[in-house]
Amino acid sequence: MQYKSQSVAYWYFAVAMTLFGLQLVFGLLSAAKYLGPDPLLYILPFDVTKVIHTNLLIVWVLTGFMGATYWMVPDESRTELHSTKLAYVQLVLWTLMGVTAVIGYLFRYGTGNKLLEQPLPHKIVIVICMLMFLYNISMTIKKSGRFTTTEGVLLLGLFSSAVLFLPALLHYENYTVSIFYRWWTIHLWVEGVWMMIMAAFMAYLLIRLSGADREVMEKWLYVIVGLVFIAGILGTAHHYYWVGVPSYWLPIGGFFSALEPAALVAMSIYAYGAIRRAGLGHPNKLALHWTIGSALFTLFGAGLLGLAHTWPSVNKWTHGTLITAMHGHAAFYGAYVMIVLAMITYAAPSLTRNRPEGGSSLGYWAFWMQITGMFGMTLSFATAGIGQVYLERIMGMGYLDAQLKIQVHFLMLIVTASIFTIGVALFIYDFFRYAPRFISDDEPQLNVVDARSNA
């Protein structure tokens, strides 16, 4: 690594990987409950395991974003972090918040607002941690006197994420109003400003791994930011179709939601084009696998599958069914999980001792098993969802009767989810099996970054 303070990223990645593993435990447990009988029905019912599964996803991905930012910003700004001590304090507070929130969910302590179930004290801690994080990053850039477009897009995404968390702090007695404002946080995160964060990380990785021209990459970033603001913000309307809002939201949501994949297409085009022009010059080809995989899987999961059921005339049948789970799993994995794993894979040879920079065989097994497993899970949700829509929404069959008819698809879901879980377990094991690198003040700094990184 070029700067000693970048080692902070290792501990963020370590916490993220631990929470990732825990998330999968509760995900498999939730899927198994569809097969029944459920011996944990009165101890860990489905609503509890699902809440923990989804909230752990949000927390660990944000942890990965923080770690990746603490790696990337010193490298881009060419200076040490403003305060490593502040970064460690932030990590401790953040981890305690996550652990106590999960324990609280086990005892039904939460708000009941989907994906924002954290009680108010936990949300206040989240705000404090975000303020510490943004202050640390901003001061690092300020003292360096160097500010790249890639950093600018990353910071815009991070600051916007913090601002958009504010609606989550408010409580509404009316459930419809609560749902309406919930999407100001959730949608504008995952289908808006998080896309900027992802695009910044992808541009950074492509510049480092392929030697792609920085100016070209950063021009694409402007395109993506523009599309996110135009389509992502107004695309929030596709969550308003059936919650009692005026009917004019239907055409707005339909049109701008259909426009949202344009940003994903742009990312995929510039990722592919960068590799075509620059070749595979960097030795860390495993990180390049994750980077290109993220662009392509995002186009598939968030783009194609999102477009498949975003039109109001289709969504009125598929809304709230397993079709939504199909889109959600593939989209979140491609866009955010894979880009975090790409950043971890790129930084890991510098953060740990004796790790081969080209990646280990376990790393490649982890990549392909995760891709295979997630694709299989997507197909399982899709086939189950199509059956559910037909039986429930068209034939009028009751929910539980329909679930019995599509139960076979959950066998396939558990098989493919197990393949995915093995892939994740291999990735986590491969991450932790190399000891972290501790750099003392008198030890020379290691520079394993490609020479073209200064481009």
Side-chain angles (χ1 to χ4, degrees), residues 39-74:
L40 300 176
L41 179 61
Y42 299 105
I43 302 173
L44 284 174
F46 178 81
D47 62 314
V48 173
T49 58
K50 183 185 177 184
V51 164
I52 295 175
H53 175 66
T54 54
N55 278 267
L56 279 173
L57 171 63
I58 298 292
V59 172
W60 90 252
V61 167
L62 283 171
T63 309
F65 282 171
M66 293 172 182
T69 302
Y70 278 136
W71 170 270
M72 172 180 154
V73 168

Side-chain angles (χ1 to χ4, degrees), residues 19-31 49 53 56 421:
L19 296 178
F20 189 15
L22 190 61
Q23 181 217 348
L24 291 184
V25 171
F26 284 95
L28 282 172
L29 188 57
S30 298
T49 58
H53 175 66
L56 279 173
T421 301

Side-chain angles (χ1 to χ4, degrees), residues 57 60-61 65 187 189-198 294 298 330-342:
L57 171 63
W60 90 252
V61 167
F65 282 171
H187 171 89
W189 266 7
V190 302
E191 296 178 62
V193 296
W194 281 18
M195 295 300 295
M196 298 182 198
I197 298 172
M198 177 207 177
S294 176
T298 299
F332 225 105
Y333 177 72
Y336 305 122
V337 172
M338 291 188 76
I339 201 65
V340 170
L341 299 184

Side-chain angles (χ1 to χ4, degrees), residues 86-149:
L86 186 63
Y88 285 124
V89 171
Q90 173 205 330
L91 179 60
V92 171
L93 283 176
W94 182 261
T95 305
L96 288 175
M97 178 279 300
V99 170
T100 55
V102 169
I103 294 172
Y105 299 147
L106 294 173
F107 294 95
R108 318 304 195 268
Y109 180 53
T111 64
N113 199 3
K114 186 179 178 182
L115 296 174
L116 296 172
E117 284 94 349
Q118 308 87 15
L120 184 59
H122 290 75
K123 289 178 178 177
I124 292 173
V125 173
I126 292 173
V127 171
I128 293 171
C129 288
M130 287 303 297
L131 290 174
M132 295 168 66
F133 173 61
L134 294 172
Y135 171 79
N136 206 355
I137 294 301
S138 300
M139 293 303 294
T140 301
I141 294 173
K142 180 181 178 181
K143 77 173 183 178
S144 72
R146 172 182 164 86
F147 190 54
T148 66
T149 300

Side-chain angles (χ1 to χ4, degrees), residues 339-403:
I339 201 65
V340 170
L341 299 184
M343 287 295 293
I344 292 174
T345 303
Y346 174 70
S350 299
L351 294 173
T352 54
R353 297 183 181 276
N354 304 318
R355 181 187 297 272
E357 191 174 2
S360 63
S361 59
L362 276 182
Y364 284 97
W365 274 102
F367 174 82
W368 289 112
M369 291 190 76
Q370 286 187 45
I371 292 288
T372 302
M374 182 53 68
F375 188 73
M377 289 168 62
T378 303
L379 292 180
S380 301
F381 278 122
T383 52
I386 292 169
Q388 182 186 14
V389 169
Y390 180 76
L391 294 173
E392 289 183 22
R393 305 289 168 87
I394 298 176
M395 299 298 294
M397 185 178 290
Y399 173 79
L400 291 178
D401 290 333
Q403 292 300 310

Side-chain angles (χ1 to χ4, degrees), residues 6 11 20 47 49 119 205 233 294 310 316 333 350 383 388 416 418 422:
Q6 285 179 290
W11 303 104
F20 189 15
D47 62 314
T49 58
L205 287 168
I233 293 176
S294 176
T310 193
K316 70 178 182 179
Y333 177 72
S350 299
T383 52
Q388 182 186 14
T416 53
S418 298
I422 293 172

